[in-house]
Amino acid sequence: MLAKIPYDLSRIDEEDIDKQILRTAIIAELDAINLYEQLASMAEDENLKAILLDVAREEKTHVGEFLTMLLMKDEEQAEELEAGEEEVDELLEEEEE
Ligand SMILES: [Fe+2]
């Protein structure tokens, strides 16, 4: 379930290690959100379902923590995140017209 990248952090340039760690951590948190939501959808006990969904929500906070740190360390990612947001805004505006 967990993405297998990167396999080997020892081969990564020292300046990129923290960014790779953060991206890997984000992948793990996103996997966790999907896992807990899927488990919640299968749970028959309503309390268990509620706990699983609460944990899934906490994992979204963890995504936010790692993403915040990644954006502090990866200026290009910060710029491209904004570019992506602008592209979606433009596409949605075009659809409304
Ligand atoms: Fe987490």
Side-chain angles (χ1 to χ4, degrees):
M1 178 181 49
L2 184 62
K4 295 283 192 293
I5 49 169
Y7 275 118
D8 185 0
L9 286 173
S10 68
R11 298 183 62 117
I12 295 165
D13 288 347
E14 201 155 318
E15 63 183 39
D16 290 329
I17 287 178
D18 284 350
K19 288 183 272 189
Q20 296 253 348
I21 288 169
L22 286 162
R23 292 188 196 108
T24 303
I26 291 168
I27 291 168
E29 298 300 343
L30 292 173
D31 273 340
I33 293 167
N34 277 357
L35 173 65
Y36 289 127
E37 287 191 352
Q38 286 169 32
L39 293 175
S41 72
M42 291 188 289
E44 293 184 5
D45 183 310
E46 287 303 313
N47 290 327
L48 176 57
K49 183 190 285 273
I51 289 168
L52 287 163
L53 289 175
D54 187 57
V55 173
R57 188 186 48 75
E58 289 171 7
E59 303 303 351
K60 293 178 184 180
T61 304
H62 299 166
V63 171
E65 288 178 78
F66 290 131
L67 182 60
T68 298
M69 279 231 67
L70 179 62
L71 295 176
M72 290 163 68
K73 290 179 177 289
D74 187 344
E75 203 171 299
E76 183 178 72
Q77 180 63 76
E79 289 167 10
E80 295 304 325
L81 192 70
E82 278 182 34
E85 197 176 322
E86 284 168 18
E87 284 182 29
V88 169
D89 284 347
E90 283 170 20
L91 280 169
L92 294 179
E93 278 172 26
E94 280 173 23
E95 270 182 30
E96 283 174 13
E97 289 168 6

